[in-house]
């Protein structure tokens, strides 16, 4: 359990106890010490737990009903359609590469955690079905490592993954730039058409777990247009 979840649960429990205490405070004509002693008895404590559980269940249901709005955004220059968070809307642009056009997405101001994602679909590169994807992924991700100045071989840390119909390999890296730590998520995958897609995500040290669910959604929804 991380600190955020622990803090949320503690806050809900305190609020439930405070509600029961307020009721007892009114019943006992605002005698503070008497209401506090009575609130620690078995029946009021049971009421506190019941309120806590009811509030927790209502919160879970609300989270299930409300999904973060998104924009399915075609990017003709890059040849793909992307899933772009819309509330608040992420910033998006393109950057030319030697054989393709990369899409650069970044979180808006005051968004936590600050994150940048580079997505590149390679329409001129076709990976045959009989070619081992792992071998191609290792070569590509090692090139990414080299550009980032990260030493070592990707293969030992690679993990086979599947995002819908997009299959590939991913790894997580830690780098230091200008005395500041960053976490990177590097993905190489093959579309059903045989064309590869690379996704590189950068966020602050220790913050990748917070943004990873959104990364997964973005990768899963990449489509060729």
């Amino acid at each position: 359990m991380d600190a955020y979840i622990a803090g949320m649960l503690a806050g809900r429990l305190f609020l439930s106890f405070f509600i029961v205490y307020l009721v007892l405070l009114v019943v006992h004509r605002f005698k503070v010490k008497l209401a506090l002693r009575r609130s620690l008895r078995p029946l009021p404590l049971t009421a506190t737990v019941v309120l806590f559980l009811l509030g927790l269940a209502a919160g879970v249901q609300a989270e299930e009903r409300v999904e973060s709005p998104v924009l399915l955004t075609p990017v003709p220059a890059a040849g793909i359609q992307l899933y772009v968070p819309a509330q608040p809307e992420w910033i998006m642009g393109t950057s030319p590469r030697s054989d393709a056009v990369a899409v650069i997405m970044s979180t808006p101001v005051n968004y936590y955690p600050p994150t940048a994602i580079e997505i590149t679909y390679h329409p001129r590169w076709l990976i045959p079905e009989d070619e081992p994807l792992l071998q191609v992924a290792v070569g590509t991700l090692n090139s990414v490592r080299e550009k980032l100045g990260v030493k070592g071989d990707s293969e030992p840390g690679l993990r086979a993954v599947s995002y819908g119909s997009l299959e590939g390999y991913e790894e997580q890296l830690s780098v230091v730039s200008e005395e500041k730590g960053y976490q990177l998520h590097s993905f190489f995958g093959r579309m059903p058409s045989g064309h590869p897609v690379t996704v590189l995500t950068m966020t602050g040290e220790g913050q990748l777990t917070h943004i990873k669910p959104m990364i997964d959604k973005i990768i899963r929804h990449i489509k060729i247009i």
Side-chain angles (χ1 to χ4, degrees):
M1 181 185 299
D2 61 24
Y4 173 79
I5 295 176
M8 180 190 70
L9 294 176
R12 285 186 181 275
L13 184 59
F14 175 78
L15 180 60
S16 301
F17 176 81
F18 187 67
I19 291 172
V20 172
Y21 169 73
L22 284 180
V23 172
L24 291 173
L25 191 63
V26 173
V27 170
H28 294 290
R29 299 182 180 181
F30 297 95
K31 295 179 180 179
V32 176
K33 292 184 179 179
L34 178 60
L36 183 58
R37 288 199 303 270
R38 295 290 173 85
S39 65
L40 298 176
R41 290 184 173 182
L43 186 58
L45 287 177
T46 301
T48 297
V49 173
V50 171
L51 279 176
F52 170 74
L53 294 176
L54 289 174
L56 196 61
V60 170
Q61 291 177 357
E63 289 179 4
E64 290 177 348
R65 289 195 302 268
V66 180
E67 295 184 358
S68 178
V70 298
L71 297 173
L72 293 176
T73 306
V75 188
I80 50 177
Q81 174 181 278
L82 295 175
Y83 175 105
V84 183
Q87 193 176 5
E89 186 174 352
W90 286 27
I91 302 164
M92 189 171 65
T94 58
S95 178
R97 297 291 183 267
S98 59
D99 66 337
V101 174
V103 180
I104 312 296
M105 298 171 57
S106 60
T107 51
V109 177
N110 297 327
Y111 188 98
Y112 180 85
T115 304
I117 305 176
E118 179 181 306
I119 304 169
T120 310
Y121 162 64
H122 301 267
R124 301 177 186 176
W125 181 9
L126 190 64
I127 305 174
E129 290 186 8
D130 59 351
E131 185 171 352
L133 185 58
L134 175 59
Q135 183 178 345
V136 183
V138 169
T140 303
L141 296 180
N142 278 342
S143 297
V144 173
R145 276 173 166 261
E146 186 178 347
K147 291 178 181 177
L148 295 171
V150 179
K151 297 180 180 180
D153 192 333
S154 286
E155 187 167 1
L158 286 187
R159 185 170 70 97
V161 290
S162 177
Y163 293 99
S165 60
L166 183 56
E167 297 183 352
Y169 291 86
E170 66 183 12
E171 67 173 341
Q172 296 181 10
L173 307 169
S174 293
V175 299
V176 176
S177 177
E178 297 180 356
E179 300 183 354
K180 186 174 182 181
Y182 295 94
Q183 276 187 292
L184 304 174
H185 175 268
S186 191
F187 169 78
F188 178 88
R190 178 169 53 191
M191 303 287 286
S193 64
H195 297 94
V197 172
T198 56
V199 181
L200 178 64
T201 303
M202 183 176 71
T203 189
E205 184 66 37
Q207 298 174 4
L208 187 58
T209 54
H210 298 285
I211 198 67
K212 186 62 165 61
M214 183 60 72
I215 298 171
D216 294 349
K217 289 181 182 180
I218 290 172
I219 296 176
R220 186 174 294 111
H221 288 82
I222 297 174
K223 292 184 179 179
I224 299 173
I225 57 174

